[in-house]
Amino acid sequence: MSKIVFLSDLHLSHTHGFFWENFRRARDAANASEADLVIVTGDLCINGPDSDAEMQFAAQALEGLEARVFALPGNHDVGDEPPGQDPAQIVDEARLARWDAAFTADRFAIEAGAWRVIGVNAQLFGSGLPREAEQEAWLDEELAGARGRPVALVLHKPLFVEHAGEDAPTVSSLNPAPRSALLAKLQAAGVRMVISGHLHASRDRVVDGIRHLWLPACAFLGAGSHGGAPEVGAVSVDFATPEAVVAPLPGLELTPFVLAEIKQHGRWKFLRDMPPCPPEVASAAE
Ligand SMILES: [Fe+2]
Ligand SMILES: [Fe+2]
């Protein structure tokens, strides 16, 4: 088992189906790739923090993937860590419980080829919730269990945008305090790669000895207000050797939706506030 498909930022909803067709194409391309595993790096939903039905819809959609699937939560699934981009949707116990009911787990550790791949719940960092400390202790154990294998950490948000010294609170990445604690841990453990979604942009570069891979989104293009290249798509990563090989998912073409256009240039603040436009019932029932 060495080849993993990464799908990120699906933004699915049973009431707002803007991105359903893009998901179908990504799902079919992932199935055609015969990858051993699919990792979904967060933002499966639009209004996951407040909708049982939407989270169930996203969970059901993932059943169309033929490989084993691990899903990690994003801010549109369990809410943001404080202060957050939407004060009405801060991560809390009830939102984590909703995720657990749909996806069972919010973290994983596996061996893939030469690597150990560890997935964590990005929304816990800086949340102050009991599960944050629980995850920290678990991560320490899993990092220790790598025993010399290169480790890739997977989570919804990047650790930082440009560099680790960014000191302003931000919704674009982890916040400064939890970031420096996590980075110190990763550096001490010799972690080689960090793979993240959230910004809907692609980027692949080494900073202070760690390769930071930003994943394209399945749903829509990033605003381009950060580094990286706004992109829709998906990638596969082959972990067979200590040099992980990243490639676009073959045969995948997604519609490059522009969020501002969908929200009619400021008419709507959030997609969830827009008039319902469900995905085709026939498609949703597949
Ligand atoms: Fe997203
Ligand atoms: Fe996000």
Side-chain angles (χ1 to χ4, degrees):
M1 207 280 295
S2 69
K3 215 163 142 194
I4 300 179
V5 168
F6 288 83
L7 304 181
S8 197
D9 296 272
L10 314 178
H11 293 285
L12 301 178
S13 169
H14 62 305
T15 54
H16 294 81
F18 314 106
F19 313 116
W20 176 252
E21 178 57 27
N22 269 0
F23 170 71
R24 286 184 41 166
R25 291 185 207 168
R27 175 199 65 193
D28 293 349
N31 288 343
S33 78
E34 295 181 351
D36 306 303
L37 176 68
V38 177
I39 295 176
V40 186
T41 53
D43 282 1
L44 285 71
C45 298
I46 288 174
N47 190 29
D50 284 316
S51 172
D52 290 331
E54 190 173 293
M55 195 157 283
Q56 286 301 333
F57 177 81
Q60 199 186 333
L62 294 196
E63 288 173 13
L65 290 160
E66 289 161 7
R68 189 176 178 201
V69 178
F70 287 122
L72 296 170
N75 49 305
H76 286 279
D77 305 313
V78 298
D80 233 338
E81 69 276 26
Q85 63 185 1
D86 180 356
Q89 293 196 336
I90 299 295
V91 61
D92 63 21
E93 302 284 359
R95 288 172 169 144
L96 292 171
R98 178 184 289 118
W99 173 273
D100 293 345
F103 298 101
T104 315
D106 62 353
R107 60 191 187 221
F108 63 84
I110 50 154
E111 314 283 301
W115 290 67
R116 185 164 184 80
V117 179
I118 301 176
V120 293
N121 180 348
Q123 306 313 121
L124 293 175
F125 292 100
S127 70
L129 295 169
R131 197 184 293 200
E132 181 181 7
E134 215 180 277
Q135 177 169 265
E136 290 287 332
W138 174 87
L139 180 57
D140 288 339
E141 272 179 37
E142 295 301 334
L143 288 170
R147 295 177 216 288
R149 279 171 174 264
V151 173
L153 184 81
V154 187
L155 74 175
H156 178 58
K157 288 187 174 184
L159 271 52
F160 49 80
V161 176
E162 292 301 327
H163 60 86
E166 291 160 2
D167 56 4
T170 177
V171 295
S172 301
S173 69
L174 293 195
N175 273 309
R179 170 202 306 141
S180 35
L182 178 60
L183 253 179
K185 195 189 290 269
L186 301 186
Q187 267 149 356
V191 168
R192 298 264 301 273
M193 194 169 181
V194 175
I195 301 174
S196 59
H198 183 57
L199 295 179
H200 297 219
S202 297
R203 199 175 202 184
D204 189 357
R205 69 204 169 122
V206 175
V207 182
D208 302 330
I210 297 179
R211 182 179 182 183
H212 294 262
L213 176 68
W214 292 6
L215 299 167
C218 284
F220 57 89
L221 295 170
S225 45
H226 304 291
E231 189 183 347
V232 287
V235 302
S236 76
V237 182
D238 194 337
F239 291 99
T241 70
E243 293 309 317
V245 178
V246 179
L249 192 54
L252 180 60
E253 266 191 48
L254 300 180
T255 303
F257 289 108
V258 174
L259 189 60
E261 284 173 9
I262 293 176
K263 294 201 282 193
Q264 297 170 29
H265 302 283
R267 181 168 177 205
W268 305 98
K269 186 170 182 200
F270 297 115
L271 293 174
R272 64 178 191 257
D273 299 331
M274 293 181 67
C277 51
E280 297 273 323
V281 174
S283 308
E286 274 180 47

